[in-house]
Amino acid sequence: MNDNRVLQFLGSNFGRVLMTVFFTIIIWGIEYALISTENENIALIISVICCFFGWRALNRIQPSMFLWMNFTGWMIYFVVKAILAIAVGLFVAPYQIAKAISNIFGDFSDGMMND
């Protein structure tokens, strides 16, 4: 019975907000700790993960038109977009992770309620 309450909480909107805050603190804390020490390799891995979520978020708000540029223009475009994706990903990644977990537990708790 207690497990069902935990699953319902994690599947709720308040649970999603709480997990978003939790994952934000965790991701930012790990990134800060790794950058301030000499562990740049692990910080790079977390930055790449944040870049993935940020890139997806930027693709949602970016117009879907094709730009004609030379090779140098495309390189500048992708470097700037990657830097922006990392910055946006630091904010978007915790929300997307919490949303995925909330959806999993929300679906799971709904299935338990129906049984």
Side-chain angles (χ1 to χ4, degrees), residues 38-81:
E38 306 262 332
N39 251 339
E40 288 92 16
N41 293 335
I42 299 172
L44 181 66
I45 292 171
I46 293 186
S47 295
V48 168
I49 292 169
C50 289
C51 184
F52 169 75
F53 287 109
W55 195 282
R56 288 178 53 196
L58 289 175
N59 281 343
R60 285 190 201 117
I61 62 173
Q62 180 183 6
S64 59
M65 66 173 95
F66 186 77
L67 301 174
W68 291 97
M69 292 188 275
N70 59 8
F71 183 73
T72 307
W74 279 110
M75 295 312 310
I76 292 171
Y77 170 78
F78 283 121
V79 168
V80 169
K81 188 172 180 181

mmCIF file of all heavy atoms in Angstrom, residues 38-81:
data_model
loop_
_atom_site.group_PDB
_atom_site.id
_atom_site.type_symbol
_atom_site.label_atom_id
_atom_site.label_comp_id
_atom_site.label_asym_id
_atom_site.label_seq_id
_atom_site.Cartn_x
_atom_site.Cartn_y
_atom_site.Cartn_z
ATOM 1 N N GLU A 38 40.062 18.969 -11.237
ATOM 2 C CA GLU A 38 40.804 18.675 -12.468
ATOM 3 C C GLU A 38 40.175 17.515 -13.251
ATOM 4 O O GLU A 38 40.859 16.815 -13.972
ATOM 5 C CB GLU A 38 42.245 18.321 -12.095
ATOM 6 C CG GLU A 38 42.911 19.370 -11.260
ATOM 7 C CD GLU A 38 43.778 20.285 -12.080
ATOM 8 O OE1 GLU A 38 44.272 19.839 -13.118
ATOM 9 O OE2 GLU A 38 43.937 21.439 -11.678
ATOM 10 N N ASN A 39 38.873 17.298 -13.113
ATOM 11 C CA ASN A 39 38.175 16.188 -13.757
ATOM 12 C C ASN A 39 37.374 16.678 -14.962
ATOM 13 O O ASN A 39 36.164 16.558 -15.001
ATOM 14 C CB ASN A 39 37.230 15.521 -12.760
ATOM 15 C CG ASN A 39 37.704 14.174 -12.344
ATOM 16 O OD1 ASN A 39 38.493 13.556 -13.038
ATOM 17 N ND2 ASN A 39 37.235 13.717 -11.210
ATOM 18 N N GLU A 40 38.036 17.210 -15.955
ATOM 19 C CA GLU A 40 37.320 17.768 -17.098
ATOM 20 C C GLU A 40 36.656 16.696 -17.966
ATOM 21 O O GLU A 40 35.695 16.977 -18.664
ATOM 22 C CB GLU A 40 38.248 18.619 -17.969
ATOM 23 C CG GLU A 40 38.634 19.931 -17.341
ATOM 24 C CD GLU A 40 39.922 19.824 -16.557
ATOM 25 O OE1 GLU A 40 40.653 18.848 -16.735
ATOM 26 O OE2 GLU A 40 40.194 20.727 -15.756
ATOM 27 N N ASN A 41 37.181 15.465 -17.950
ATOM 28 C CA ASN A 41 36.612 14.417 -18.809
ATOM 29 C C ASN A 41 35.187 14.067 -18.404
ATOM 30 O O ASN A 41 34.310 13.924 -19.253
ATOM 31 C CB ASN A 41 37.487 13.168 -18.782
ATOM 32 C CG ASN A 41 38.830 13.412 -19.421
ATOM 33 O OD1 ASN A 41 38.979 14.284 -20.254
ATOM 34 N ND2 ASN A 41 39.828 12.644 -19.009
ATOM 35 N N ILE A 42 34.948 13.920 -17.101
ATOM 36 C CA ILE A 42 33.603 13.587 -16.644
ATOM 37 C C ILE A 42 32.680 14.788 -16.825
ATOM 38 O O ILE A 42 31.507 14.635 -17.162
ATOM 39 C CB ILE A 42 33.642 13.096 -15.188
ATOM 40 C CG1 ILE A 42 34.509 11.833 -15.090
ATOM 41 C CG2 ILE A 42 32.241 12.796 -14.683
ATOM 42 C CD1 ILE A 42 34.777 11.360 -13.703
ATOM 43 N N ALA A 43 33.195 15.999 -16.606
ATOM 44 C CA ALA A 43 32.397 17.205 -16.838
ATOM 45 C C ALA A 43 32.003 17.297 -18.311
ATOM 46 O O ALA A 43 30.897 17.746 -18.639
ATOM 47 C CB ALA A 43 33.171 18.445 -16.406
ATOM 48 N N LEU A 44 32.877 16.869 -19.203
ATOM 49 C CA LEU A 44 32.567 16.871 -20.627
ATOM 50 C C LEU A 44 31.440 15.894 -20.947
ATOM 51 O O LEU A 44 30.561 16.196 -21.762
ATOM 52 C CB LEU A 44 33.816 16.517 -21.441
ATOM 53 C CG LEU A 44 33.654 16.495 -22.953
ATOM 54 C CD1 LEU A 44 33.350 17.900 -23.474
ATOM 55 C CD2 LEU A 44 34.895 15.957 -23.611
ATOM 56 N N ILE A 45 31.440 14.741 -20.296
ATOM 57 C CA ILE A 45 30.364 13.761 -20.516
ATOM 58 C C ILE A 45 29.021 14.342 -20.100
ATOM 59 O O ILE A 45 28.022 14.223 -20.823
ATOM 60 C CB ILE A 45 30.674 12.451 -19.762
ATOM 61 C CG1 ILE A 45 31.880 11.756 -20.394
ATOM 62 C CG2 ILE A 45 29.459 11.528 -19.754
ATOM 63 C CD1 ILE A 45 32.406 10.591 -19.606
ATOM 64 N N ILE A 46 28.967 14.998 -18.946
ATOM 65 C CA ILE A 46 27.713 15.603 -18.493
ATOM 66 C C ILE A 46 27.321 16.760 -19.412
ATOM 67 O O ILE A 46 26.146 16.957 -19.708
ATOM 68 C CB ILE A 46 27.833 16.035 -17.025
ATOM 69 C CG1 ILE A 46 27.967 14.789 -16.169
ATOM 70 C CG2 ILE A 46 26.640 16.881 -16.595
ATOM 71 C CD1 ILE A 46 27.965 14.972 -14.712
ATOM 72 N N SER A 47 28.298 17.495 -19.905
ATOM 73 C CA SER A 47 28.003 18.577 -20.847
ATOM 74 C C SER A 47 27.429 18.032 -22.147
ATOM 75 O O SER A 47 26.528 18.638 -22.734
ATOM 76 C CB SER A 47 29.261 19.385 -21.137
ATOM 77 O OG SER A 47 29.710 20.048 -19.993
ATOM 78 N N VAL A 48 27.920 16.892 -22.598
ATOM 79 C CA VAL A 48 27.385 16.267 -23.815
ATOM 80 C C VAL A 48 25.946 15.804 -23.593
ATOM 81 O O VAL A 48 25.088 15.972 -24.464
ATOM 82 C CB VAL A 48 28.289 15.091 -24.276
ATOM 83 C CG1 VAL A 48 27.615 14.253 -25.337
ATOM 84 C CG2 VAL A 48 29.616 15.619 -24.777
ATOM 85 N N ILE A 49 25.666 15.257 -22.403
ATOM 86 C CA ILE A 49 24.294 14.855 -22.090
ATOM 87 C C ILE A 49 23.381 16.076 -22.082
ATOM 88 O O ILE A 49 22.281 16.052 -22.650
ATOM 89 C CB ILE A 49 24.245 14.106 -20.743
ATOM 90 C CG1 ILE A 49 24.952 12.759 -20.872
ATOM 91 C CG2 ILE A 49 22.807 13.910 -20.273
ATOM 92 C CD1 ILE A 49 25.185 12.067 -19.560
ATOM 93 N N CYS A 50 23.839 17.169 -21.462
ATOM 94 C CA CYS A 50 23.054 18.404 -21.458
ATOM 95 C C CYS A 50 22.920 18.964 -22.871
ATOM 96 O O CYS A 50 21.866 19.507 -23.227
ATOM 97 C CB CYS A 50 23.696 19.436 -20.536
ATOM 98 S SG CYS A 50 23.539 19.031 -18.786
ATOM 99 N N CYS A 51 23.956 18.810 -23.681
ATOM 100 C CA CYS A 51 23.914 19.277 -25.065
ATOM 101 C C CYS A 51 22.837 18.526 -25.849
ATOM 102 O O CYS A 51 22.132 19.117 -26.667
ATOM 103 C CB CYS A 51 25.280 19.117 -25.717
ATOM 104 S SG CYS A 51 25.381 19.761 -27.396
ATOM 105 N N PHE A 52 22.698 17.231 -25.598
ATOM 106 C CA PHE A 52 21.669 16.433 -26.279
ATOM 107 C C PHE A 52 20.275 16.995 -25.992
ATOM 108 O O PHE A 52 19.487 17.234 -26.911
ATOM 109 C CB PHE A 52 21.759 14.975 -25.838
ATOM 110 C CG PHE A 52 20.602 14.136 -26.278
ATOM 111 C CD1 PHE A 52 20.486 13.729 -27.586
ATOM 112 C CD2 PHE A 52 19.610 13.763 -25.380
ATOM 113 C CE1 PHE A 52 19.408 12.959 -28.005
ATOM 114 C CE2 PHE A 52 18.533 13.000 -25.772
ATOM 115 C CZ PHE A 52 18.436 12.600 -27.097
ATOM 116 N N PHE A 53 19.971 17.226 -24.709
ATOM 117 C CA PHE A 53 18.650 17.750 -24.356
ATOM 118 C C PHE A 53 18.475 19.191 -24.844
ATOM 119 O O PHE A 53 17.395 19.579 -25.288
ATOM 120 C CB PHE A 53 18.436 17.677 -22.837
ATOM 121 C CG PHE A 53 18.205 16.285 -22.340
ATOM 122 C CD1 PHE A 53 19.174 15.636 -21.597
ATOM 123 C CD2 PHE A 53 17.026 15.625 -22.611
ATOM 124 C CE1 PHE A 53 18.969 14.348 -21.133
ATOM 125 C CE2 PHE A 53 16.806 14.333 -22.154
ATOM 126 C CZ PHE A 53 17.779 13.697 -21.420
ATOM 127 N N GLY A 54 19.538 19.997 -24.773
ATOM 128 C CA GLY A 54 19.465 21.368 -25.249
ATOM 129 C C GLY A 54 19.291 21.450 -26.753
ATOM 130 O O GLY A 54 18.559 22.312 -27.260
ATOM 131 N N TRP A 55 19.969 20.561 -27.477
ATOM 132 C CA TRP A 55 19.856 20.536 -28.950
ATOM 133 C C TRP A 55 18.417 20.235 -29.358
ATOM 134 O O TRP A 55 17.864 20.860 -30.266
ATOM 135 C CB TRP A 55 20.819 19.500 -29.507
ATOM 136 C CG TRP A 55 21.063 19.628 -30.980
ATOM 137 C CD1 TRP A 55 20.245 19.216 -31.989
ATOM 138 C CD2 TRP A 55 22.194 20.232 -31.609
ATOM 139 N NE1 TRP A 55 20.803 19.494 -33.200
ATOM 140 C CE2 TRP A 55 22.005 20.118 -33.007
ATOM 141 C CE3 TRP A 55 23.352 20.822 -31.138
ATOM 142 C CZ2 TRP A 55 22.930 20.596 -33.913
ATOM 143 C CZ3 TRP A 55 24.269 21.291 -32.055
ATOM 144 C CH2 TRP A 55 24.063 21.183 -33.415
ATOM 145 N N ARG A 56 17.815 19.265 -28.672
ATOM 146 C CA ARG A 56 16.422 18.926 -28.968
ATOM 147 C C ARG A 56 15.492 20.097 -28.665
ATOM 148 O O ARG A 56 14.549 20.362 -29.417
ATOM 149 C CB ARG A 56 15.996 17.698 -28.173
ATOM 150 C CG ARG A 56 16.636 16.422 -28.707
ATOM 151 C CD ARG A 56 16.268 15.202 -27.908
ATOM 152 N NE ARG A 56 14.824 15.071 -27.780
ATOM 153 C CZ ARG A 56 14.233 14.289 -26.884
ATOM 154 N NH1 ARG A 56 14.951 13.588 -26.039
ATOM 155 N NH2 ARG A 56 12.934 14.213 -26.828
ATOM 156 N N ALA A 57 15.750 20.811 -27.558
ATOM 157 C CA ALA A 57 14.921 21.971 -27.212
ATOM 158 C C ALA A 57 15.100 23.088 -28.234
ATOM 159 O O ALA A 57 14.123 23.747 -28.626
ATOM 160 C CB ALA A 57 15.274 22.464 -25.814
ATOM 161 N N LEU A 58 16.330 23.329 -28.685
ATOM 162 C CA LEU A 58 16.566 24.362 -29.697
ATOM 163 C C LEU A 58 15.922 23.997 -31.031
ATOM 164 O O LEU A 58 15.467 24.879 -31.759
ATOM 165 C CB LEU A 58 18.061 24.597 -29.880
ATOM 166 C CG LEU A 58 18.769 25.309 -28.735
ATOM 167 C CD1 LEU A 58 20.269 25.360 -28.995
ATOM 168 C CD2 LEU A 58 18.211 26.698 -28.529
ATOM 169 N N ASN A 59 15.887 22.714 -31.365
ATOM 170 C CA ASN A 59 15.239 22.294 -32.610
ATOM 171 C C ASN A 59 13.734 22.557 -32.571
ATOM 172 O O ASN A 59 13.117 22.772 -33.607
ATOM 173 C CB ASN A 59 15.492 20.806 -32.876
ATOM 174 C CG ASN A 59 16.856 20.564 -33.452
ATOM 175 O OD1 ASN A 59 17.514 21.475 -33.953
ATOM 176 N ND2 ASN A 59 17.314 19.327 -33.367
ATOM 177 N N ARG A 60 13.143 22.528 -31.367
ATOM 178 C CA ARG A 60 11.704 22.787 -31.263
ATOM 179 C C ARG A 60 11.368 24.254 -31.507
ATOM 180 O O ARG A 60 10.286 24.564 -31.981
ATOM 181 C CB ARG A 60 11.200 22.367 -29.885
ATOM 182 C CG ARG A 60 11.096 20.894 -29.733
ATOM 183 C CD ARG A 60 10.368 20.532 -28.449
ATOM 184 N NE ARG A 60 10.710 19.168 -28.104
ATOM 185 C CZ ARG A 60 11.352 18.807 -27.017
ATOM 186 N NH1 ARG A 60 11.689 19.703 -26.118
ATOM 187 N NH2 ARG A 60 11.650 17.548 -26.803
ATOM 188 N N ILE A 61 12.276 25.168 -31.119
ATOM 189 C CA ILE A 61 11.961 26.593 -31.242
ATOM 190 C C ILE A 61 12.583 27.231 -32.478
ATOM 191 O O ILE A 61 12.268 28.362 -32.797
ATOM 192 C CB ILE A 61 12.413 27.367 -29.984
ATOM 193 C CG1 ILE A 61 13.927 27.284 -29.784
ATOM 194 C CG2 ILE A 61 11.685 26.879 -28.762
ATOM 195 C CD1 ILE A 61 14.451 28.161 -28.676
ATOM 196 N N GLN A 62 13.425 26.515 -33.145
ATOM 197 C CA GLN A 62 14.112 27.040 -34.326
ATOM 198 C C GLN A 62 13.224 26.842 -35.559
ATOM 199 O O GLN A 62 12.589 25.805 -35.709
ATOM 200 C CB GLN A 62 15.430 26.297 -34.504
ATOM 201 C CG GLN A 62 16.243 26.734 -35.666
ATOM 202 C CD GLN A 62 17.494 25.879 -35.782
ATOM 203 O OE1 GLN A 62 17.662 24.920 -35.067
ATOM 204 N NE2 GLN A 62 18.345 26.227 -36.713
ATOM 205 N N PRO A 63 13.175 27.817 -36.454
ATOM 206 C CA PRO A 63 12.379 27.616 -37.666
ATOM 207 C C PRO A 63 12.955 26.486 -38.521
ATOM 208 O O PRO A 63 14.157 26.280 -38.563
ATOM 209 C CB PRO A 63 12.467 28.955 -38.395
ATOM 210 C CG PRO A 63 13.603 29.684 -37.793
ATOM 211 C CD PRO A 63 13.830 29.109 -36.426
ATOM 212 N N SER A 64 12.072 25.778 -39.185
ATOM 213 C CA SER A 64 12.514 24.627 -39.979
ATOM 214 C C SER A 64 12.744 25.044 -41.426
ATOM 215 O O SER A 64 12.054 24.605 -42.319
ATOM 216 C CB SER A 64 11.488 23.509 -39.894
ATOM 217 O OG SER A 64 10.260 23.971 -40.376
ATOM 218 N N MET A 65 13.711 25.890 -41.631
ATOM 219 C CA MET A 65 14.080 26.273 -42.991
ATOM 220 C C MET A 65 15.543 25.890 -43.213
ATOM 221 O O MET A 65 16.314 25.790 -42.265
ATOM 222 C CB MET A 65 13.879 27.769 -43.215
ATOM 223 C CG MET A 65 14.796 28.650 -42.403
ATOM 224 S SD MET A 65 14.666 30.356 -42.852
ATOM 225 C CE MET A 65 13.510 30.904 -41.651
ATOM 226 N N PHE A 66 15.861 25.669 -44.430
ATOM 227 C CA PHE A 66 17.231 25.286 -44.763
ATOM 228 C C PHE A 66 18.019 26.523 -45.134
ATOM 229 O O PHE A 66 17.556 27.364 -45.903
ATOM 230 C CB PHE A 66 17.238 24.281 -45.920
ATOM 231 C CG PHE A 66 18.599 23.740 -46.210
ATOM 232 C CD1 PHE A 66 19.147 22.772 -45.398
ATOM 233 C CD2 PHE A 66 19.331 24.213 -47.284
ATOM 234 C CE1 PHE A 66 20.415 22.269 -45.668
ATOM 235 C CE2 PHE A 66 20.590 23.723 -47.559
ATOM 236 C CZ PHE A 66 21.134 22.735 -46.746
ATOM 237 N N LEU A 67 19.204 26.649 -44.560
ATOM 238 C CA LEU A 67 20.063 27.794 -44.863
ATOM 239 C C LEU A 67 21.154 27.371 -45.829
ATOM 240 O O LEU A 67 21.758 26.317 -45.665
ATOM 241 C CB LEU A 67 20.708 28.322 -43.574
ATOM 242 C CG LEU A 67 19.764 28.772 -42.478
ATOM 243 C CD1 LEU A 67 20.552 29.117 -41.224
ATOM 244 C CD2 LEU A 67 18.970 29.974 -42.938
ATOM 245 N N TRP A 68 21.393 28.206 -46.829
ATOM 246 C CA TRP A 68 22.487 27.943 -47.756
ATOM 247 C C TRP A 68 23.711 28.709 -47.281
ATOM 248 O O TRP A 68 23.713 29.933 -47.245
ATOM 249 C CB TRP A 68 22.117 28.384 -49.168
ATOM 250 C CG TRP A 68 21.064 27.516 -49.755
ATOM 251 C CD1 TRP A 68 19.736 27.747 -49.783
ATOM 252 C CD2 TRP A 68 21.270 26.260 -50.377
ATOM 253 N NE1 TRP A 68 19.079 26.708 -50.383
ATOM 254 C CE2 TRP A 68 20.008 25.768 -50.763
ATOM 255 C CE3 TRP A 68 22.387 25.476 -50.650
ATOM 256 C CZ2 TRP A 68 19.840 24.553 -51.400
ATOM 257 C CZ3 TRP A 68 22.201 24.267 -51.294
ATOM 258 C CH2 TRP A 68 20.952 23.824 -51.655
ATOM 259 N N MET A 69 24.738 27.965 -46.872
ATOM 260 C CA MET A 69 25.978 28.590 -46.406
ATOM 261 C C MET A 69 27.160 27.783 -46.920
ATOM 262 O O MET A 69 27.014 26.618 -47.291
ATOM 263 C CB MET A 69 26.045 28.591 -44.870
ATOM 264 C CG MET A 69 25.045 29.474 -44.191
ATOM 265 S SD MET A 69 25.330 29.588 -42.431
ATOM 266 C CE MET A 69 24.471 28.135 -41.853
ATOM 267 N N ASN A 70 28.323 28.405 -46.880
ATOM 268 C CA ASN A 70 29.525 27.651 -47.220
ATOM 269 C C ASN A 70 29.955 26.837 -46.001
ATOM 270 O O ASN A 70 29.326 26.890 -44.944
ATOM 271 C CB ASN A 70 30.641 28.592 -47.698
ATOM 272 C CG ASN A 70 31.005 29.619 -46.638
ATOM 273 O OD1 ASN A 70 30.558 29.553 -45.510
ATOM 274 N ND2 ASN A 70 31.827 30.577 -47.045
ATOM 275 N N PHE A 71 31.035 26.085 -46.148
ATOM 276 C CA PHE A 71 31.483 25.179 -45.087
ATOM 277 C C PHE A 71 31.832 25.935 -43.807
ATOM 278 O O PHE A 71 31.485 25.493 -42.711
ATOM 279 C CB PHE A 71 32.696 24.375 -45.580
ATOM 280 C CG PHE A 71 33.178 23.366 -44.591
ATOM 281 C CD1 PHE A 71 32.460 22.219 -44.348
ATOM 282 C CD2 PHE A 71 34.352 23.584 -43.879
ATOM 283 C CE1 PHE A 71 32.900 21.288 -43.418
ATOM 284 C CE2 PHE A 71 34.805 22.673 -42.959
ATOM 285 C CZ PHE A 71 34.073 21.512 -42.722
ATOM 286 N N THR A 72 32.480 27.074 -43.925
ATOM 287 C CA THR A 72 32.850 27.869 -42.747
ATOM 288 C C THR A 72 31.604 28.350 -42.014
ATOM 289 O O THR A 72 31.557 28.336 -40.786
ATOM 290 C CB THR A 72 33.720 29.070 -43.169
ATOM 291 O OG1 THR A 72 34.820 28.606 -43.945
ATOM 292 C CG2 THR A 72 34.220 29.828 -41.966
ATOM 293 N N GLY A 73 30.609 28.755 -42.746
ATOM 294 C CA GLY A 73 29.344 29.189 -42.136
ATOM 295 C C GLY A 73 28.677 28.079 -41.355
ATOM 296 O O GLY A 73 28.159 28.293 -40.257
ATOM 297 N N TRP A 74 28.684 26.854 -41.934
ATOM 298 C CA TRP A 74 28.093 25.722 -41.237
ATOM 299 C C TRP A 74 28.875 25.373 -39.975
ATOM 300 O O TRP A 74 28.291 25.020 -38.946
ATOM 301 C CB TRP A 74 28.026 24.499 -42.152
ATOM 302 C CG TRP A 74 26.860 24.549 -43.082
ATOM 303 C CD1 TRP A 74 26.895 24.744 -44.425
ATOM 304 C CD2 TRP A 74 25.490 24.448 -42.729
ATOM 305 N NE1 TRP A 74 25.627 24.755 -44.934
ATOM 306 C CE2 TRP A 74 24.737 24.568 -43.914
ATOM 307 C CE3 TRP A 74 24.804 24.263 -41.540
ATOM 308 C CZ2 TRP A 74 23.342 24.523 -43.929
ATOM 309 C CZ3 TRP A 74 23.414 24.217 -41.550
ATOM 310 C CH2 TRP A 74 22.704 24.345 -42.742
ATOM 311 N N MET A 75 30.191 25.475 -40.032
ATOM 312 C CA MET A 75 31.004 25.169 -38.841
ATOM 313 C C MET A 75 30.706 26.169 -37.728
ATOM 314 O O MET A 75 30.540 25.782 -36.572
ATOM 315 C CB MET A 75 32.499 25.173 -39.182
ATOM 316 C CG MET A 75 32.937 24.087 -40.142
ATOM 317 S SD MET A 75 32.382 22.388 -39.828
ATOM 318 C CE MET A 75 32.771 22.090 -38.163
ATOM 319 N N ILE A 76 30.619 27.448 -38.078
ATOM 320 C CA ILE A 76 30.293 28.470 -37.078
ATOM 321 C C ILE A 76 28.888 28.232 -36.524
ATOM 322 O O ILE A 76 28.658 28.315 -35.310
ATOM 323 C CB ILE A 76 30.425 29.883 -37.691
ATOM 324 C CG1 ILE A 76 31.886 30.182 -37.993
ATOM 325 C CG2 ILE A 76 29.834 30.938 -36.770
ATOM 326 C CD1 ILE A 76 32.105 31.449 -38.797
ATOM 327 N N TYR A 77 27.950 27.892 -37.400
ATOM 328 C CA TYR A 77 26.577 27.623 -36.984
ATOM 329 C C TYR A 77 26.521 26.480 -35.974
ATOM 330 O O TYR A 77 25.879 26.588 -34.922
ATOM 331 C CB TYR A 77 25.724 27.292 -38.218
ATOM 332 C CG TYR A 77 24.347 26.777 -37.905
ATOM 333 C CD1 TYR A 77 23.333 27.634 -37.516
ATOM 334 C CD2 TYR A 77 24.068 25.414 -38.001
ATOM 335 C CE1 TYR A 77 22.063 27.164 -37.237
ATOM 336 C CE2 TYR A 77 22.804 24.934 -37.721
ATOM 337 C CZ TYR A 77 21.809 25.807 -37.332
ATOM 338 O OH TYR A 77 20.567 25.331 -37.051
ATOM 339 N N PHE A 78 27.210 25.363 -36.273
ATOM 340 C CA PHE A 78 27.149 24.213 -35.384
ATOM 341 C C PHE A 78 27.899 24.453 -34.074
ATOM 342 O O PHE A 78 27.468 23.965 -33.020
ATOM 343 C CB PHE A 78 27.672 22.954 -36.083
ATOM 344 C CG PHE A 78 26.670 22.368 -37.042
ATOM 345 C CD1 PHE A 78 26.987 22.230 -38.376
ATOM 346 C CD2 PHE A 78 25.416 21.974 -36.619
ATOM 347 C CE1 PHE A 78 26.073 21.698 -39.271
ATOM 348 C CE2 PHE A 78 24.494 21.451 -37.495
ATOM 349 C CZ PHE A 78 24.818 21.302 -38.828
ATOM 350 N N VAL A 79 28.988 25.197 -34.102
ATOM 351 C CA VAL A 79 29.711 25.502 -32.859
ATOM 352 C C VAL A 79 28.856 26.388 -31.953
ATOM 353 O O VAL A 79 28.723 26.122 -30.752
ATOM 354 C CB VAL A 79 31.079 26.152 -33.171
ATOM 355 C CG1 VAL A 79 31.701 26.744 -31.924
ATOM 356 C CG2 VAL A 79 32.021 25.141 -33.799
ATOM 357 N N VAL A 80 28.252 27.425 -32.527
ATOM 358 C CA VAL A 80 27.399 28.316 -31.734
ATOM 359 C C VAL A 80 26.183 27.560 -31.211
ATOM 360 O O VAL A 80 25.795 27.711 -30.048
ATOM 361 C CB VAL A 80 26.982 29.548 -32.570
ATOM 362 C CG1 VAL A 80 25.889 30.348 -31.882
ATOM 363 C CG2 VAL A 80 28.184 30.421 -32.837
ATOM 364 N N LYS A 81 25.586 26.728 -32.064
ATOM 365 C CA LYS A 81 24.416 25.969 -31.619
ATOM 366 C C LYS A 81 24.790 24.968 -30.532
ATOM 367 O O LYS A 81 24.022 24.763 -29.591
ATOM 368 C CB LYS A 81 23.764 25.249 -32.803
ATOM 369 C CG LYS A 81 22.440 24.607 -32.421
ATOM 370 C CD LYS A 81 21.692 24.071 -33.613
ATOM 371 C CE LYS A 81 20.386 23.446 -33.161
ATOM 372 N NZ LYS A 81 19.626 22.898 -34.273
#
